[in-house]
């Protein structure tokens, strides 16, 4: 595994760590901890997802952009919400962010005001060839697909398997919009956050997601999948090694594993850098 050129499509870096528990376990701080992990596993690139949706994480956008200075492996993605003026978001992109991070809940999709704001964010991502990291559960995917259909130049990266729920059944009616989004739009899926899809008592945190990952491989194809660790929140549930060792990927041809574990993200980043 470590012979692959890894690129982590979903990490977080917080100035004061994600949680008190993780800060106590790693007082050296998240950046130093991840630098050590990079050395151990040979990680060449990481997409750092900004998050300011909680008051304790205020200023995370500026923090991760500052970290990117002098670290060419670190690609910051800025957090935006409905309070972010799209023109201000455009100005922030000019400062060096690799993309935009949006968190969506079903209640927002019922709001005409939010949908108009989101439409402008998709238009911005399309115009700037910026990656659009989307953390959104299945109930929002019809709206996301509608927005993606209006702006085919926007490249959506669905976080955490697309948040399909616990032990997702690939043929579930509840996932119809997810299947449409993944199959019919410029959409990539991050193979991250499997621990949140687990059933109570599961010994293997990825076991409950095996059928869904198998469907993604068969239907969307390896070119549309990106491995991500969800560092450091994931480390409250499993080891970093477990975030890498996803059972459905072990038997894939080397070309497919090379893509999922790094080459696919590097291709997306190259388009962004050219843009």
């Amino acid at each position: 595994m470590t012979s692959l050129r890894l690129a982590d499509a979903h990490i977080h870096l917080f100035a004061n760590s994600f949680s008190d528990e993780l800060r106590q376990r790693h007082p050296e701080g998240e950046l130093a901890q991840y630098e050590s992990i990079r050395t151990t596993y040979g990680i060449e690139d990481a997409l750092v997802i900004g998050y300011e949706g909680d008051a304790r994480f205020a200023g995370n956008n500026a923090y991760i952009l500052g970290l990117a200075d002098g670290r060419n492996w670190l690609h910051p993605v800025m957090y935006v919400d409905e309070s972010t003026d799209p023109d201000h978001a455009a100005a922030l992109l000019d400062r060096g962010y690799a993309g935009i991070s949006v968190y969506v809940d079903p209640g927002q999709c019922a709001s005409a005001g939010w949908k108009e704001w989101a439409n402008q964010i998709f238009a911005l991502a399309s115009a700037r060839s910026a990656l659009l990291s989307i953390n959104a559960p299945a109930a929002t995917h019809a709206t996301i697909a509608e927005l993606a259909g209006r702006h085919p130049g926007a490249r959506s990266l669905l976080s955490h398997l697309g948040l399909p729920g616990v032990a997702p059944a690939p043929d579930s009616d509840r996932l119809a919009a997810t299947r449409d989004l993944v199959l019919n739009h410029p959409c990539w899926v991050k193979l991250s956050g499997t621990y949140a899809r687990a059933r109570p008592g599961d010994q293997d945190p990825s076991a409950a997601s095996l059928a869904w990952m198998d469907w993604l491989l068969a239907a969307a194809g390896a070119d549309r999948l990106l491995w991500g660790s969800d560092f450091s929140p994931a480390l409250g549930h499993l080891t970093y090694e477990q975030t890498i060792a996803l059972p459905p990927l072990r038997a894939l041809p080397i070309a497919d594993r090379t893509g999922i574990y790094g080459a696919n993200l590097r291709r997306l980043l190259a388009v962004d850098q050219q843009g």
Side-chain angles (χ1 to χ4, degrees):
M1 182 62 66
T2 54
S3 64
L4 295 174
R5 297 178 56 213
L6 299 183
D8 195 334
H10 195 103
I11 78 168
H12 296 279
L13 292 172
F14 296 108
N16 294 311
S17 296
F18 176 71
S19 68
D20 291 341
E21 176 193 356
L22 292 173
R23 182 167 60 251
Q24 290 169 4
R25 283 165 49 183
H26 293 279
E28 73 274 25
E30 290 185 342
L31 177 62
Q33 182 188 2
Y34 196 77
E35 287 277 25
S36 176
I37 287 171
R38 286 187 63 236
T39 299
T40 299
Y41 293 99
I43 299 163
E44 298 186 6
D45 292 279
L47 205 62
V48 186
I49 309 304
Y51 182 67
E52 297 188 1
D54 187 301
R56 64 197 171 106
F57 300 134
N60 188 240
N61 278 345
Y63 175 68
I64 62 175
L65 183 63
L67 293 182
D69 188 19
R71 296 181 177 90
N72 60 7
W73 61 268
L74 193 159
H75 308 278
V77 177
M78 64 180 183
Y79 172 84
V80 300
D81 61 20
E82 198 173 355
S83 70
T84 308
D85 182 271
D87 289 337
H88 180 58
L92 288 175
L93 280 178
D94 290 338
R95 296 180 58 191
Y97 291 98
I100 301 168
S101 170
V102 181
Y103 285 67
V104 187
D105 65 57
Q108 290 173 314
C109 294
S111 164
W114 181 87
K115 289 176 72 172
E116 174 53 33
W117 171 82
N119 185 62
Q120 295 179 67
I121 294 299
F122 267 76
L124 174 62
S126 179
R128 296 295 187 87
S129 296
L131 302 181
L132 191 55
S133 179
I134 302 176
N135 191 302
T140 70
H141 291 172
T143 298
I144 300 299
E146 178 185 346
L147 293 164
R150 295 180 194 169
H151 305 286
R155 293 164 298 145
S156 300
L157 279 56
L158 290 184
S159 302
H160 310 328
L161 303 174
L163 297 182
V166 174
D171 58 354
S172 168
D173 290 345
R174 185 173 54 82
L175 296 181
T178 306
R179 294 191 295 269
D180 171 59
L181 176 57
V182 170
L183 296 178
N184 298 314
H185 299 280
C187 179
W188 286 254
V189 181
K190 302 180 194 179
L191 303 182
S192 60
T194 57
Y195 63 92
R197 318 276 72 81
R199 297 161 298 211
D202 277 345
Q203 297 300 308
D204 180 350
S206 65
S209 296
L210 295 183
W212 182 236
M213 285 191 280
D214 285 341
W215 182 87
L216 289 168
L217 281 165
D223 288 348
R224 287 296 181 93
L225 303 181
L226 310 167
W227 163 72
S229 69
D230 195 24
F231 175 91
S232 66
L235 300 189
H237 307 271
L238 67 172
T239 66
Y240 195 87
E241 175 65 31
Q242 286 176 303
T243 74
I244 299 175
L246 300 176
L249 307 187
R250 293 172 186 164
L252 291 179
I254 185 62
D256 289 348
R257 286 190 288 126
T258 297
I260 292 170
Y261 279 109
N264 294 345
L265 178 59
R266 276 188 285 272
R267 279 193 290 269
L268 289 167
L269 287 168
V271 171
D272 171 64
Q273 290 159 2
Q274 292 166 8

